[in-house]
Amino acid sequence: CVNSHQAKDILAAKNGQMLGKRRAQIQSGTYEQWREASRASRRAPQHEVYGKGGPRQGHSAPEDMMDKRDLVFAVKQAQKEYPGGKEKWESYCELLRTGNRDPKLHCVEALRAWLKAIKLGEVPTTPIVSNILRLRGVPFNSELTDVVNFMLEYGISDSDVILGRSGEKAGKKTGEAFVTFATVEQAEQCLEEKQKQEIHGRYIEIFRCTTEERDEAKDL
């Protein structure tokens, strides 16, 4: 935003010149247009500007201020732009033991922890734990009671188990189950003790699970 005399000088001197690899066209605008553009800029999410050797100078939003959508975007960007970013993300996923590498399937705390560490060229060494586990490989003919019996020593009841289904509740079973434990300690104990044990002759893979992932299955 400049005064009218400066605007005329800029228009005469700069119109049609190259900006990077493109020719810039300059037009006069109103004060109202400038105010609206300024407000829109302040409302827009501010992502870190990443360079090949790490973050470049520019606008950035601290990880603690980012929402889930912005964190997912930032993690995907950092995997591309930081040296060894993809390998560091995969290493962190192994530590988390969630059974997936898609950032949007990880909790906010995990995304923030990894972003803070990658800026230092590191990988977090402490997993994010919860009292929820996801079971994969549950036979399609299994019912809630089969999962409850599988977890009997941890005091699990029918109300603690959700069987994954595709689409509506009447949809086909996905072979997954989500189990909520009374404590994080019980969930971690089960993760170690029940890994690859069997239900109806099929071994079960067990992963840590986020509240979001469990609730999404509950809402289907």
Side-chain angles (χ1 to χ4, degrees), residues 201-214:
R202 291 195 61 180
Y203 76 82
I204 305 300
E205 294 180 280
I206 305 177
F207 306 96
R208 296 189 180 108
C209 180
T210 67
T211 302
E212 288 176 288
E213 196 176 0
R214 188 269 318 268

Side-chain angles (χ1 to χ4, degrees), residues 9 12 15 22 80 87 107 113 122 133 188:
D9 292 341
N15 193 30
R22 302 190 66 179
K80 298 175 184 176
E87 291 75 17
C107 66
E122 301 172 353
L133 296 178
E188 288 295 294

Side-chain angles (χ1 to χ4, degrees), residues 60-102:
S60 64
E63 292 78 11
D64 291 338
M65 300 296 290
M66 290 182 182
D67 62 15
K68 176 70 176 283
R69 182 192 63 177
D70 291 343
L71 286 165
V72 169
F73 175 88
V75 167
K76 289 180 178 179
Q77 277 297 103
Q79 287 185 65
K80 298 175 184 176
E81 302 295 346
Y82 276 89
K86 183 179 180 182
E87 291 75 17
K88 287 184 171 69
W89 172 250
E90 291 175 353
S91 175
Y92 186 45
C93 291
E94 292 296 321
L95 173 71
L96 293 175
R97 295 179 69 177
T98 60
N100 59 66
R101 295 176 178 174
D102 187 342

Side-chain angles (χ1 to χ4, degrees), residues 6-205:
Q6 289 174 317
K8 288 180 182 178
D9 292 341
I10 292 171
L11 185 61
K14 295 293 184 180
N15 193 30
Q17 292 195 12
M18 300 299 292
L19 182 62
K21 295 182 179 180
R22 302 190 66 179
R23 193 173 299 279
Q25 290 184 318
I26 303 176
Q27 299 175 334
S28 59
T30 65
Y31 178 68
E32 286 73 21
Q33 287 175 316
W34 176 83
R35 286 189 62 187
E36 178 57 31
S38 179
R39 285 196 294 266
S41 177
R42 287 195 296 269
R43 290 195 299 266
Q46 298 293 308
H47 299 298
E48 185 94 85
V49 181
Y50 293 104
K52 291 183 179 179
R56 294 197 298 267
Q57 191 74 21
H59 295 292
S60 64
E63 292 78 11
D64 291 338
M65 300 296 290
M66 290 182 182
D67 62 15
K68 176 70 176 283
R69 182 192 63 177
D70 291 343
L71 286 165
V72 169
F73 175 88
V75 167
K76 289 180 178 179
Q77 277 297 103
Q79 287 185 65
K80 298 175 184 176
E81 302 295 346
Y82 276 89
K86 183 179 180 182
E87 291 75 17
K88 287 184 171 69
W89 172 250
E90 291 175 353
S91 175
Y92 186 45
C93 291
E94 292 296 321
L95 173 71
L96 293 175
R97 295 179 69 177
T98 60
N100 59 66
R101 295 176 178 174
D102 187 342
K104 71 175 180 287
L105 297 178
H106 290 269
C107 66
V108 165
E109 292 79 9
L111 299 175
R112 285 176 178 156
W114 186 79
L115 283 171
K116 290 177 181 179
I118 194 68
K119 291 180 179 179
L120 302 174
E122 301 172 353
V123 176
T125 56
T126 304
I128 306 295
V129 298
S130 78
N131 65 326
I132 307 168
L133 296 178
R134 174 171 61 91
L135 279 59
R136 186 167 69 189
V138 178
F140 294 128
N141 63 344
S142 296
E143 301 297 337
L144 285 177
T145 51
D146 295 307
V147 178
V148 170
N149 290 334
F150 183 68
M151 302 282 188
L152 200 58
E153 60 265 47
Y154 307 103
I156 297 300
S157 64
D158 287 9
S159 61
D160 300 318
V161 180
I162 300 170
L163 292 179
R165 294 182 182 273
S166 58
E168 301 297 327
K169 284 189 176 181
K172 294 181 180 179
K173 294 175 182 176
T174 62
E176 292 187 328
F178 301 84
V179 183
T180 303
F181 294 78
T183 66
V184 172
E185 290 74 20
Q186 281 186 336
E188 288 295 294
Q189 183 181 354
C190 176
L191 182 65
E192 299 300 333
E193 293 177 348
K194 288 290 188 176
Q195 192 68 249
K196 296 195 175 180
Q197 292 197 25
E198 295 183 356
I199 295 179
H200 296 326
R202 291 195 61 180
Y203 76 82
I204 305 300
E205 294 180 280

